[in-house]
Amino acid sequence: MSFKAIRFPDSFEYRSDSEHIPLEFYDKVFPVSKTVDLFLGYFNSGAFRVLSESFAEFIYCSVLKDMKTAI
């Protein structure tokens, strides 16, 4: 999937109290991202636990892309 193929909500908003939750955004966007820039702030361990699968997929896809360009 490419970034352009992702269907975003019409409002482009992701909120915990709406139909489109932030995890949905991260699950779709992280795997197709080239970089991830996180700003420093308060994150509890629960946030990292929830996003761990998305982070892992981002890292895995990044490694595969690097391996393909190295060959």
Side-chain angles (χ1 to χ4, degrees), residues 30-47:
F30 274 16
V32 295
S33 297
K34 293 180 182 178
T35 62
V36 174
D37 297 323
L38 297 175
F39 293 100
L40 294 177
Y42 174 77
F43 292 97
N44 65 23
S45 60

Side-chain angles (χ1 to χ4, degrees), residues 6-19:
I6 297 173
R7 296 199 53 189
F8 295 103
D10 293 336
S11 65
F12 290 100
E13 286 186 356
Y14 289 87
R15 297 178 0 185
S16 299
D17 63 346
S18 74
E19 183 180 328

Side-chain angles (χ1 to χ4, degrees), residues 54-71:
S54 298
F55 275 125
E57 196 167 347
F58 166 74
I59 292 166
Y60 178 74
C61 290
S62 295
V63 169
L64 285 181
K65 288 176 192 171
D66 288 347
M67 289 174 62
K68 287 180 182 177
T69 57
I71 295 176

